[in-house]
Amino acid sequence: MALRAALRNRWGFSGLVSQLSSSGCHGRVSSVFVSQMRNNTTSPKINVDFNKSTGVAVLSMQSPPVNSLSLDFLTELCINLEKLEMDKACRGLIITSSQPKVFSAGLDILEMYGKSPERCGEFWRAVQEMWLKMYKSNMVTIAAINGSSPAGGCLLSMTCDYRIMVDNPRYSIGLNETLLGIVAPFWFKDTMVNTVGHRNTELALELGLLYSPSEALKIGLVDQLVPQDQLLTTATETMTKWLAIPDHARQITKSMMRKPTVDKLTSNREADTQNFVNFITKDSIQKSLRMYLEMLKKRKA
Ligand code: CO8
C-alpha cells in the first residue's frame, strides 16, 4: 500500500526517478529508492538480478500462487522496469517466473471484481503502463516462459522481443478473455496481430484459445521450445546474439515496428480507461467474472 501511495498521481514516479537521477547520482539514488520501496512491502513480488559485466538483468516474478497482475504487482514491476531502463549499463532483460508451473495467470481477476470505478481506473492505468514500458523498451527483452501464461500473462510475454517456452504439454499460453465473458482490448489484439498475424489472432481471440507449447510454436506465438533445465541458458545464449547487434540500429528498428501500435494507445489512453471501467463494472460482466472465479475454485476442489 505504501508503495502504491508513494507512486500515485498518475504514475508520477517517472518524474520522481528522473528528478533523482538528474541530481547527478542516478544509479546509486535510484537503487536506494527502489530498495526503500521494497522495504515498505511485506514481501517483494519481483526479484531483479542484474549482472553488470554482461549488461543483462534477470527479472523473476515471485508473487504466489500464480503471479497474477494485481495493482501492487504492476506498480512494483513498473518501478523495476523504469530503473533498469534508466541504467545505461543494462542492455538486456530476461523475464521469468519463480513460481512452479505458472509464468503469470494474467490480470488479477480480484482487481476487476466488486471494485469501485475509481479503483478499476487506477488498476487499468497500471496495466497500460506495464504494457507501454515493456513494448517500447530500449532493452532487448526475452520472455523465458516456464509455465502457463494465459491472458495478461500472454500479453506480457508478447511485449518481449523473443519468447522461449518450456516444452511441457501441461502448460498453455494465449489470450483467453472471451472464456471469461470479457473482450481483449484493442491493444491486446494489436500486440497479438503484430506477433502471429491477423487470421491467427482472429481465431485465437474469438475462441479464447489457449495453446500448448507446440501449437504456440507452430503459429509463432513463441519462438523456441526447450526442456525446463535449458530455459535460462538458452535465454542467456539468445541474449548474447541479440546484444551483438549495435544498440542504436536495433532500437530504432524496434521503434519503427512498434510505434504505430504504441501511439494508438498513448493517444487514446483516457478513453481506453473509461471504456474498461464502464465495461468491467456492468452487472452482466461482474456476473461472468464471479462465475469464472467460482469455476476456478471448483476445479481445484
Ligand atoms: N486472478 C486472481 N486469482 C487467480 C488467477 C487470476 N488471474 N488465476 C488463478 N487465481 C487463483 C485461483 O483462484 C486459486 O486461488 P485459491 O488458492 O484461493 O483457490 C489460486 O490462484 C491458484 O490457482 P489454481 O489452483 O488454478 O492454480 P494452477 O497452478 O492449477 O493453475 C493457472 C494455474 C493455469 C494459471 C490457472 O489458475 C488459471 O487458468 N487461472 C486463470 C487464468 C485466467 O483466466 N486469467 C485471465 C485474467 S483476465 C486478463 O488477464 C485480461 C483481462 C482483460 C480485461 C479486458 C476487459 C475489457
Side-chain angles (χ1 to χ4, degrees), residues 98-114:
S98 303
Q99 302 309 311
K101 304 186 295 181
V102 181
F103 179 73
S104 166
L107 303 194
D108 192 320
I109 298 167
L110 297 171
E111 295 280 10
M112 301 185 279
Y113 179 67

Side-chain angles (χ1 to χ4, degrees), residues 204-230:
L205 292 189
E206 288 191 32
L207 297 169
L209 294 179
L210 285 170
Y211 298 89
S212 68
S214 56
E215 292 165 339
L217 181 67
K218 207 162 149 195
I219 65 162
L221 184 53
V222 297
D223 299 295
Q224 199 174 343
L225 301 184
V226 290
Q228 174 92 39
D229 60 358
Q230 288 170 28

Side-chain angles (χ1 to χ4, degrees), residues 11-26:
W11 299 90
F13 64 87
S14 296
L16 182 48
V17 175
S18 320
Q19 224 179 325
L20 291 170
S21 56
S22 66
S23 69
C25 37
H26 145 222

Side-chain angles (χ1 to χ4, degrees), residues 131-132 136 261-270:
W131 181 83
L132 287 167
K136 42 183 229 188
T261 310
V262 167
D263 287 349
K264 214 163 134 190
L265 177 62
T266 39
S267 57
N268 285 297
R269 221 172 145 175
E270 211 34 55

Side-chain angles (χ1 to χ4, degrees), residues 64-70 100-112 123-124 127 147-155 170-172 174-177 179-188 210 272 275-280 285 289 292-301:
V66 290
N67 288 330
S68 60
L69 308 176
S70 64
K101 304 186 295 181
V102 181
F103 179 73
S104 166
L107 303 194
D108 192 320
I109 298 167
L110 297 171
E111 295 280 10
M112 301 185 279
F123 173 62
W124 197 246
V127 181
S148 288
S149 196
C154 176
L155 180 76
R170 285 166 189 248
Y171 299 160
S172 62
L175 293 183
N176 60 325
E177 279 78 358
L179 298 184
L180 287 75
I182 56 180
V183 180
F186 70 89
W187 41 286
F188 284 46
L210 285 170
D272 179 63
N275 278 343
F276 170 76
V277 173
N278 294 341
F279 181 78
I280 213 73
I285 302 303
L289 290 176
Y292 190 75
L293 278 166
E294 280 164 8
M295 182 278 291
L296 279 178
K297 300 253 177 251
K298 265 196 210 128
R299 203 183 54 159
K300 197 175 178 185

Side-chain angles (χ1 to χ4, degrees), residues 17-266:
V17 175
S18 320
Q19 224 179 325
L20 291 170
S21 56
S22 66
S23 69
C25 37
H26 145 222
R28 186 173 59 81
V29 176
S30 60
S31 70
V32 170
F33 169 71
V34 169
S35 73
Q36 276 169 353
M37 288 305 181
R38 285 233 177 113
N39 291 340
N40 285 338
T41 59
T42 41
S43 69
K45 298 175 193 311
I46 304 289
N47 180 66
V48 176
D49 185 3
F50 176 40
N51 182 332
K52 276 205 164 179
S53 63
T54 59
V56 178
V58 177
L59 184 154
S60 304
M61 299 179 283
Q62 49 178 31
S63 182
V66 290
N67 288 330
S68 60
L69 308 176
S70 64
L71 182 52
D72 284 343
F73 181 99
L74 290 164
T75 304
E76 197 179 325
L77 178 60
C78 285
I79 290 172
N80 278 287
L81 290 175
E82 176 154 342
K83 185 192 161 217
L84 294 171
E85 197 75 52
M86 288 177 66
D87 188 339
K88 294 257 178 303
C90 186
R91 299 174 60 220
L93 174 67
I94 296 171
I95 298 196
T96 193
S97 163
S98 303
Q99 302 309 311
K101 304 186 295 181
V102 181
F103 179 73
S104 166
L107 303 194
D108 192 320
I109 298 167
L110 297 171
E111 295 280 10
M112 301 185 279
Y113 179 67
K115 294 285 190 286
S116 69
E118 293 70 32
R119 167 77 188 204
C120 289
E122 192 183 359
F123 173 62
W124 197 246
R125 281 187 275 273
V127 181
Q128 294 171 334
E129 191 66 26
M130 176 275 290
W131 181 83
L132 287 167
K133 282 202 160 16
M134 286 298 302
Y135 207 56
K136 42 183 229 188
S137 173
N138 275 325
M139 296 179 282
V140 173
T141 52
I142 295 181
I145 309 165
N146 49 345
S148 288
S149 196
C154 176
L155 180 76
L156 175 61
S157 42
M158 287 193 298
T159 61
C160 292
D161 296 303
Y162 197 80
R163 283 160 290 286
I164 307 169
M165 188 169 187
V166 169
D167 192 6
N168 182 334
R170 285 166 189 248
Y171 299 160
S172 62
I173 182 166
L175 293 183
N176 60 325
E177 279 78 358
T178 49
L179 298 184
L180 287 75
I182 56 180
V183 180
F186 70 89
W187 41 286
F188 284 46
K189 178 266 295 173
D190 289 344
T191 312
M192 191 166 208
V193 169
N194 294 349
T195 309
V196 299
H198 195 278
R199 179 61 183 149
N200 283 322
T201 303
E202 191 168 46
L203 287 172
L205 292 189
E206 288 191 32
L207 297 169
L209 294 179
L210 285 170
Y211 298 89
S212 68
S214 56
E215 292 165 339
L217 181 67
K218 207 162 149 195
I219 65 162
L221 184 53
V222 297
D223 299 295
Q224 199 174 343
L225 301 184
V226 290
Q228 174 92 39
D229 60 358
Q230 288 170 28
L231 182 64
L232 281 182
T233 43
T234 308
T236 308
E237 284 163 13
T238 307
M239 183 61 82
T240 306
K241 283 188 207 151
W242 279 70
L243 291 181
I245 307 296
D247 280 344
H248 69 283
R250 181 190 50 73
Q251 287 161 356
I252 293 168
T253 306
K254 179 171 177 175
S255 168
M256 184 172 67
M257 296 300 292
R258 297 189 172 195
K259 194 171 179 300
T261 310
V262 167
D263 287 349
K264 214 163 134 190
L265 177 62
T266 39

